[in-house]
Amino acid sequence: QVQLVESGGGLVQAGGSLRLSCAASGRTFSTDAMGWFRQAPGKEREFVAAINWSGTTTNYADSVKGRFTISRDNARNTVYLQMNSLKPEDTAVYYCARGRRFGLASSSSGAYDYWGQGTQVTVSS
């Protein structure tokens, strides 16, 4: 059974940094695309960042470009989201998602089959 467990969320002041981690299990990780999405209160879930199965291609939402970096460590079955220069509008629950084998770094939630439980990120002004 595929499982995704996020960690690293918390409370940070505007301008600060956090690194989210997502540990994957249950299937060969190194061949799957991975993504991060977020959902703020009262809003729909939105795409944040994605990385293809080999780590050679990344994709970012315009709102986080230049501030967030997605990466993966296939030896550790883990994907990361480094978040710098955080803003209050980044406050949301962040979800890790697992895509298909040899998948692209897609921004569409439909390209992902498995989701984590989410980790709360709160940025104070």
Side-chain angles (χ1 to χ4, degrees):
Q1 184 174 355
V2 174
Q3 285 191 315
L4 300 171
V5 179
E6 301 101 332
S7 61
L11 173 64
V12 64
Q13 288 188 332
S17 298
L18 284 173
R19 188 176 81 155
L20 305 183
S21 299
C22 173
S25 63
R27 194 173 79 188
T28 303
F29 173 80
S30 60
T31 57
D32 290 347
M34 298 295 296
W36 287 96
F37 290 74
R38 68 186 182 187
Q39 188 167 19
K43 295 187 177 181
E44 293 188 353
R45 188 174 297 186
E46 65 175 4
F47 169 73
V48 176
I51 188 165
N52 75 330
W53 66 276
S54 62
T56 56
T57 302
T58 56
N59 186 14
Y60 296 94
D62 288 343
S63 59
V64 307
K65 275 182 183 176
R67 300 189 297 123
F68 291 11
T69 302
I70 188 171
S71 62
R72 65 189 298 156
D73 184 342
N74 287 344
R76 297 178 183 272
N77 289 353
T78 301
V79 63
Y80 303 98
L81 185 68
Q82 178 67 44
M83 305 185 296
N84 298 329
S85 302
L86 282 161
K87 304 175 181 180
E89 51 263 44
D90 294 318
T91 295
V93 176
Y94 283 70
Y95 296 91
C96 172
R98 189 161 180 170
R100 290 151 196 165
R101 291 190 69 194
F102 304 113
L104 303 175
S106 175
S107 61
S108 170
S109 60
Y112 299 88
D113 298 324
Y114 299 95
W115 297 80
Q117 295 295 317
T119 185
Q120 176 71 46
V121 171
T122 303
V123 184
S124 63
S125 57

